Amino acid sequence: MPAAVCLIVNPAAGGGRAARVAPAAHAALEAHGLEVRREDTRDLAHARELAAGAAARGEHVVVLSGDGLVGVVADQLRSVPGAVLGVIPGGRGNDLARVLGIPDEAAAAAAIVAAGRTRPVDLGLVEDAAGSRAFVGIASAGFDSEANRIANEAPSWLGGLVYAYGALRALAAWQPVRFEIELDPPGERHSFLGYSVGAANSKAYGGGMRAAPGAMLDDGLLEIVALESIGKAAFLTRIMPKVFKGTHVQEPCVKVFKATEIALSCERPFTMYADGDPIGELPLRVRALPGAVTMLLPDQGPGSAFAARAAAAAGQAPEATAPGP
């Protein structure tokens, strides 16, 4: 059981949901006998400062916010030896928590923090001309860039529906573009006219869309999901309804690869988004960071986000990972 916790809260997350949940989360952590110190963030730079200071004091850093702040804090903590990250969902999408099996209810999530069960988790890293930053979920560009931008500008009362709203609004004006991807440079190249390319560390984004159902958080690989050009009607009937179950990857227009690194460029300029926020400008590279951050997690059962645990549940030894399509 951790001796002390720094609860980092983004009061604006989830349209104010995190601020409303924070007192209950704080009380639930203390009810487990934890020493809790709450800090509210002013901006992302302040969140990094708070996380670095807490980790340096030996506190477990628990983020009460959405995936965006979780990704920023994970990026900060990956360079701090012995740092430990916990999550209490407080945003609109909360996709990482969903994939990890962390409950949406504050008291149940606090119990996971108090249990103190840790394991290393992979991150992804985006590198462009301006620098680099890690993320926890899925980094994507193209159509997803427009959908994310619209979703981030949408009214907070839409809640988790904001991501579907963003996709539908983006679709109206979308024109396919040509992407160039290279797997594990210098390696296999693909060029295609399409909608988007995603480099997935985790399985889901956009409030429950299982865009990369085969992504695992401990295999040292990214799952690359490319959506080739199809008609807008087909996008609405064959892709959108299936992405929440992850069965869209069975469609011929969806190509899936595995790689430790990808180089991505496009004929038009796009901002790449990850964990709901802008993270880089094309052209860029994305690579996997194996076991980059230690997290407080629930026990993982069958269907886990972890390759080793899923293999054990099936009575198999984990397979060695190797890049390639």
Side-chain angles (χ1 to χ4, degrees):
M1 179 179 295
V5 165
C6 177
L7 179 64
I8 297 180
V9 181
N10 174 9
R17 179 193 172 203
R20 294 189 296 271
V21 168
H26 193 147
L29 291 167
E30 289 187 327
H32 286 282
L34 302 178
E35 179 185 338
V36 183
R37 184 173 59 87
R38 173 179 167 179
E39 295 279 4
D40 288 6
T41 63
R42 297 189 299 269
D43 50 39
L44 295 182
H46 184 224
R48 287 180 178 274
E49 179 184 331
L50 293 174
R57 286 187 291 270
E59 296 172 324
H60 286 189
V61 179
V62 177
V63 174
L64 172 51
S65 186
D67 290 339
L69 188 62
V70 174
V72 166
V73 170
D75 183 39
Q76 184 68 39
L77 295 184
R78 67 188 175 92
S79 61
V80 182
V84 176
L85 172 63
V87 176
I88 296 178
R92 290 189 291 192
N94 303 313
D95 286 291
L96 182 67
R98 183 180 293 107
V99 168
L100 291 171
I102 297 173
D104 200 52
E105 200 270 323
I112 291 169
V113 172
R117 185 182 297 110
T118 63
R119 73 176 297 158
V121 174
D122 296 351
L123 298 175
L125 184 74
V126 172
E127 301 173 303
D128 68 2
S132 64
R133 205 194 93 184
F135 62 95
V136 293
I138 299 176
S140 58
F143 175 81
D144 287 0
S145 304
E146 296 302 304
N148 261 284
R149 179 186 58 78
I150 293 168
N152 288 350
E153 295 170 355
S156 61
W157 57 261
L158 283 169
L161 296 175
V162 70
Y163 302 104
Y165 166 82
L168 293 173
R169 284 279 309 276
L171 184 64
W174 177 253
Q175 295 295 325
V177 295
R178 182 160 297 279
F179 294 92
E180 302 279 347
I181 62 176
E182 185 177 6
L183 306 175
D184 293 313
E188 181 180 342
R189 293 174 178 265
H190 297 268
S191 175
F192 69 96
L193 192 68
Y195 280 74
S196 62
V197 176
N201 180 55
S202 183
K203 297 177 185 291
Y205 71 170
M209 298 180 186
R210 295 176 66 84
M216 294 290 179
L217 286 163
D218 65 343
D219 63 356
L221 296 171
L222 300 169
E223 180 157 287
I224 312 303
V225 181
L227 175 57
E228 296 181 340
S229 184
I230 57 170
K232 292 181 180 181
F235 179 90
L236 285 173
T237 58
R238 290 167 46 193
I239 301 301
M240 282 293 288
K242 296 181 177 181
V243 73
F244 287 95
K245 292 184 178 179
T247 55
H248 65 294
V249 297
Q250 299 168 10
E251 293 290 326
C253 60
V254 180
K255 307 300 181 187
V256 180
F257 310 93
K258 291 281 191 178
T260 58
E261 183 176 344
I262 178 178
L264 173 62
S265 60
C266 185
E267 63 183 352
R268 295 209 309 256
F270 281 106
T271 299
M272 175 168 271
Y273 280 71
D275 306 329
D277 292 324
I279 197 171
E281 301 293 329
L282 270 59
L284 48 69
R285 292 193 177 201
V286 188
R287 60 186 174 93
L289 298 176
V293 65
T294 298
M295 294 193 67
L296 293 158
L297 300 178
D299 188 30
Q300 298 286 318
S304 165
F306 296 94
R309 183 65 182 87
Q316 302 171 354
E319 295 183 2
T321 56

